[in-house]
Amino acid sequence: MNEALNRRFALAGVDTGVPVALDVASDGRVVVRGDHPDKATIERLFAEDAGLANQYREVAGGNAFLAAGRVSERFRRELESAGTEEMRKRVYRRFEPIFRQLEQAGGRMTLAGGCLPGCLPGCLPG
């Protein structure tokens, strides 16, 4: 994914020296969050290349799934070790905003330094 994005962005003249904050909109489009100088160009690249957009959604979804799994496992362990109902309620209260935050951030990743988080070079065919 990194290689595919970097190649496509370079061909389109996108300034990758500025981090690119990407997200998946509620309608499934890959969009740029914030004020990147090449926002329109980047969004057009994803809109015109379904394969690139699908790769991004796959990597973003995978990262979100892994993060949710890690948090869920920690939640389960803390809940099991809570000795009283009051302690369990505290665990719920502490994790509730974390799960909400994970849900909201599911499609968000930032390309910085030529890399997306959790995506090693060559992790998906580019």
Side-chain angles (χ1 to χ4, degrees):
M1 179 88 253
N2 290 327
E3 293 171 18
L5 278 182
N6 285 308
R7 184 176 58 250
R8 292 298 307 276
F9 285 3
L11 289 172
V14 170
D15 180 5
T16 56
V18 177
V20 181
L22 299 168
D23 197 359
V24 177
S26 61
D27 62 2
R29 290 177 302 118
V30 178
V31 297
V32 177
R33 298 180 68 226
D35 295 327
H36 192 282
D38 296 310
K39 180 176 184 167
T41 301
I42 295 166
E43 289 181 352
R44 187 173 58 252
L45 284 173
F46 283 105
E48 293 174 355
D49 187 339
L52 185 66
N54 285 337
Q55 283 182 339
Y56 175 81
R57 285 188 289 266
E58 183 178 336
V59 170
N63 281 348
F65 185 76
L66 288 173
R70 288 179 182 136
V71 171
S72 294
E73 178 59 23
R74 184 170 164 209
F75 172 73
R76 183 194 61 76
R77 284 193 316 265
E78 289 190 30
L79 198 59
E80 284 179 355
S81 67
T84 67
E85 184 61 28
E86 184 55 39
M87 290 172 76
R88 284 188 287 279
K89 286 179 184 179
R90 276 185 268 175
V91 171
Y92 279 116
R93 284 192 299 269
R94 194 170 66 254
F95 277 86
E96 185 178 21
I98 296 169
F99 282 114
R100 261 192 259 120
Q101 194 174 25
L102 280 171
E103 185 178 327
Q104 293 172 346
R108 296 179 188 170
M109 293 193 303
T110 298
L111 179 74
C115 294
L116 290 169
C119 187
L120 301 173
C123 66
L124 287 176

